[in-house]
Amino acid sequence: IPAATLVFDSFSRANSTYTFGAKGGLGSTKGGTAGAQAWQTTETAGQLKPFGILNGRAVLLANDTAVSWVNTGSVSANLDIRVSRKPGRWGSGVNTGLSFRVVDQSNYFFAYTSDSIPSPGNQFLNVGFYLNGARSMLATGIPIQVGWTTLRVVTRAGGSIVVFIDATQVYSTTNASLASAVKAGLFNNSTGLGLVNRWDNFMVFDAAP
């Protein structure tokens, strides 16, 4: 577990999918100063979970927009949230996404990467939010570098949002909505992304004010 993390999860545990009648799900995080935190969704214990684990990565099981989150233990709401992608065979794992400022299923911000359909090999950053279930986009189609590993969002209680691809800042804005919310997690943007999206080494740190 990396030093100073509030929350850390490498998803390096038993597979959790829909096979043999299982329901999927992510279980609980590995640790951090906030302790192990249960991954939350709105589904009940008897329902299929939108995310699962396969070969040490978090994967999408549902074919839809999906969000799952954890309590970070932050008291400041100044958070540095990171997740890594791990490209694999047959085009798997090339994209990923984060949720932040999460209140519940209907109220949260998100950032995710996507492929360029007309220009294969190029990728973009997209940022937006849901308020009372209504979706709004802050930015779409921001070009990002090739060969990247980590999507990183720094969100602060004062309203600022800064997004990095590895060490490169690619987007920033100020938006006061949900700025005091301290939950964060994974995000999947839409249908048809079960192969291309993967999540690894999810980390949350305190960020400077």
Side-chain angles (χ1 to χ4, degrees), residues 108-110 127-131 133-140 175:
Y108 61 92
F109 278 65
F110 57 81
V127 183
F129 60 90
Y130 283 88
L131 284 180
R135 177 172 171 142
S136 298
M137 295 302 299
L138 295 171
T140 59
N175 190 305

Side-chain angles (χ1 to χ4, degrees), residues 48-102:
L48 296 174
K49 305 299 189 297
F51 294 95
I53 296 172
L54 182 65
N55 299 329
R57 309 281 186 266
V59 297
L60 179 71
L61 301 178
N63 188 29
D64 205 348
T65 302
V67 61
S68 185
W69 64 89
V70 294
N71 291 311
T72 66
S74 172
V75 296
S76 66
N78 299 322
L79 295 171
D80 181 338
I81 307 153
R82 309 178 191 186
V83 74
S84 298
R85 66 164 191 167
K86 290 293 177 70
R89 296 180 178 180
W90 307 297
S92 67
V94 297
N95 285 305
T96 194
L98 285 169
S99 58
F100 57 101
R101 296 187 182 181
V102 180

Side-chain angles (χ1 to χ4, degrees), residues 69-198:
W69 64 89
V70 294
N71 291 311
T72 66
S74 172
V75 296
S76 66
N78 299 322
L79 295 171
D80 181 338
I81 307 153
R82 309 178 191 186
V83 74
S84 298
R85 66 164 191 167
K86 290 293 177 70
R89 296 180 178 180
W90 307 297
S92 67
V94 297
N95 285 305
T96 194
L98 285 169
S99 58
F100 57 101
R101 296 187 182 181
V102 180
V103 175
D104 54 31
Q105 183 84 12
S106 300
N107 298 276
Y108 61 92
F109 278 65
F110 57 81
Y112 67 93
T113 63
S114 62
D115 292 322
S116 169
I117 294 175
S119 181
N122 292 324
Q123 290 181 290
F124 302 113
L125 172 72
N126 312 274
V127 183
F129 60 90
Y130 283 88
L131 284 180
N132 298 319
R135 177 172 171 142
S136 298
M137 295 302 299
L138 295 171
T140 59
I142 300 173
I144 57 178
Q145 66 206 47
V146 299
W148 60 278
T149 298
T150 301
L151 172 63
R152 176 188 176 200
V153 173
V154 179
T155 174
R156 294 183 172 88
S160 69
I161 298 169
V162 185
V163 185
F164 299 82
I165 295 293
D166 290 336
T168 302
Q169 179 180 319
V170 292
Y171 176 74
S172 66
T173 191
T174 299
N175 190 305
S177 296
L178 311 180
S180 62
V182 297
K183 299 174 185 177
L186 313 184
F187 176 73
N188 179 76
N189 180 56
S190 66
T191 60
L193 299 176
L195 176 66
V196 299
N197 279 355
R198 293 289 187 272

Side-chain angles (χ1 to χ4, degrees), residues 6-9 11 13 24-32 34-43 45 49 51 53 67-73 99 102-103 182-186 202 204:
L6 298 174
V7 177
F8 172 73
D9 202 349
F11 306 106
R13 45 189 175 271
L26 297 171
S28 296
T29 61
K30 286 285 187 180
Q37 298 292 319
W39 283 99
Q40 302 176 46
T41 63
T42 59
E43 289 75 18
K49 305 299 189 297
F51 294 95
I53 296 172
V67 61
S68 185
W69 64 89
V70 294
N71 291 311
T72 66
S99 58
V102 180
V103 175
V182 297
K183 299 174 185 177
L186 313 184
F202 173 79
V204 183

